[in-house]
């Protein structure tokens, strides 16, 4: 009969085998990255997905609900954040400076990316799964593909305020399926903190604010027996506590699958 120590050794070896067969061992996420900005750089691991020069997902979207992340103002400078960065959708729209120094093809210069997707691969306390375009942007000029061939690398990051190009306005996309008794709004292009932690709407001529609930990603919703006719002012709160109101941005006679921007 095998000794207990032999059995334990076999079990341990079997666990190592399973771990190697299913990738790198799971690493718990670090503390959530919040809206407390600072100059301190933190360590992370980075991978990339999608086309080498693309914006990540095949549909140019992601778990935040944004679409056309390959176009302005995101321009493919996007990525997935792990649990501590994506935060069940509350990290959607937050911005980060990232840089790498190794391998030699890294430029060492910081670039800015926006979180538009979720990453559940637990390979490090902080893990950015970047679009191919964003990953390559950390390279020395002309060595983008050489850097992408590394596949995985160590990088440094810090959260920064989002700065969209002049003329970019907060936008509210009324999601498909919305109707007079159900309204779902995707909030995007928020300067500053970038992410949103609360959304309220108020119908023109009324004093009461209606609180929306988190749906998924950057989408907020309300179900109500009362007809939602509009126009509606939208108030949103960022993680840092900034409250902003966009008056009558969703008009009377609003339509599903339509975007409305601040005037």
């Amino acid at each position: 009969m095998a000794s207990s120590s032999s059995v334990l050794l076999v079990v341990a070896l079997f666990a190592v085998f399973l771990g190697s067969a299913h990738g790198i061992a799971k690493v718990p996420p670090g503390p959530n990255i919040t809206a407390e900005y600072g100059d301190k750089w933190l360590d992370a691991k980075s991978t990339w997905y999608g086309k080498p020069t693309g914006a990540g997902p095949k549909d140019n979207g992601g778990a935040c609900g944004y679409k056309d992340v390959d176009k302005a103002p995101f321009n493919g400078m996007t990525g997935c954040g792990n649990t501590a960065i994506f935060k069940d959708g509350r990290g959607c729209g937050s911005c980060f400076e990232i840089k790498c120094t190794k391998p030699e093809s890294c430029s060492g210069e910081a670039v800015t990316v926006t979180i538009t997707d979720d990453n559940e691969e637990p390979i490090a306390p902080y893990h950015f799964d970047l679009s191919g375009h964003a990953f390559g942007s950390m390279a020395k000029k002309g060595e983008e593909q050489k850097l992408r061939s590394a596949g995985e690398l160590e990088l440094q990051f810090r959260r920064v305020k989002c700065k969209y190009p002049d003329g970019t306005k907060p936008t509210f996309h009324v999601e498909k399926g919305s109707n007079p008794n159900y309204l779902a709004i995707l909030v995007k292009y928020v300067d500053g903190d970038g992410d949103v932690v609360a959304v309220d709407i108020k119908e023109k001529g009324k004093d009461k604010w209606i609180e929306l609930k988190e749906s998924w990603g950057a989408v907020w919703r309300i179900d109500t027996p009362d007809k939602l006719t509009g126009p509606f002012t939208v108030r949103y709160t960022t993680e840092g506590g900034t409250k902003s109101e966009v008056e009558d941005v969703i008009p009377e006679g609003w339509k599903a699958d339509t975007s409305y921007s601040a005037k």
Side-chain angles (χ1 to χ4, degrees):
M1 179 179 293
S3 66
S4 59
S5 58
S6 298
V7 172
L8 289 173
L9 177 61
V10 171
V11 171
L13 291 173
F14 184 64
V16 170
F17 169 76
L18 284 179
S20 61
H22 292 85
I24 300 173
K26 291 184 178 181
V27 178
N32 282 358
I33 301 298
T34 68
E36 296 177 0
Y37 305 100
D39 294 331
K40 184 179 179 180
W41 291 88
L42 301 176
D43 296 324
K45 285 191 176 180
S46 178
T47 50
W48 63 277
Y49 73 127
K51 295 180 180 179
T53 57
K58 292 181 180 179
D59 66 349
N60 293 316
C64 288
Y66 307 138
K67 298 295 184 185
D68 299 325
V69 296
D70 58 324
K71 300 180 176 63
F74 295 127
N75 295 316
M77 291 298 291
T78 56
C80 308
N82 71 332
T83 300
I85 298 168
F86 183 75
K87 298 182 292 189
D88 290 327
R90 289 204 170 193
C92 290
S94 54
C95 297
F96 293 85
E97 281 187 336
I98 57 173
K99 63 181 180 179
C100 66
T101 56
K102 296 179 181 180
E104 291 185 1
S105 48
C106 285
S107 70
E109 298 179 3
V111 298
T112 302
V113 296
T114 304
I115 297 302
T116 59
D117 207 351
D118 185 20
N119 167 27
E120 297 294 340
E121 194 173 348
I123 67 170
Y126 299 111
H127 177 199
F128 290 84
D129 195 17
L130 301 169
S131 70
H133 174 59
F135 194 95
S137 70
M138 293 187 290
K140 295 175 182 175
K141 189 175 181 180
E143 297 188 23
E144 293 85 359
Q145 188 54 42
K146 185 177 180 181
L147 182 61
R148 282 190 287 266
S149 68
E152 178 183 314
L153 50 79
E154 305 282 341
L155 61 74
Q156 289 186 304
F157 76 98
R158 62 184 178 186
R159 187 169 169 182
V160 295
K161 289 187 179 293
C162 299
K163 296 180 181 179
Y164 287 104
D166 290 344
T168 305
K169 299 175 180 178
T171 299
F172 308 90
H173 184 266
V174 177
E175 297 289 277
K176 291 181 180 179
S178 293
N179 59 65
N181 300 106
Y182 167 73
L183 179 63
I185 303 173
L186 170 73
V187 185
K188 55 184 178 180
Y189 312 151
V190 174
D191 264 332
D193 292 331
D195 50 9
V196 173
V197 298
V199 177
D200 308 286
I201 59 173
K202 183 171 66 173
E203 191 168 10
K204 190 177 184 68
K206 297 183 179 180
D207 295 326
K208 182 181 179 181
W209 285 98
I210 303 171
E211 181 182 356
L212 274 61
K213 297 179 180 179
E214 290 179 84
S215 184
W216 62 277
V219 178
W220 297 76
R221 77 173 197 279
I222 180 174
D223 301 271
T224 174
D226 302 319
K227 286 192 175 182
L228 300 164
T229 57
F232 289 105
T233 294
V234 177
R235 180 176 67 188
Y236 59 89
T237 305
T238 66
E239 187 181 40
T242 301
K243 292 182 182 291
S244 302
E245 292 182 19
V246 186
E247 186 175 0
D248 299 340
V249 66
I250 298 178
E252 184 177 5
W254 53 267
K255 296 180 181 179
D257 198 19
T258 304
S259 290
Y260 301 99
S261 298
K263 298 175 183 176

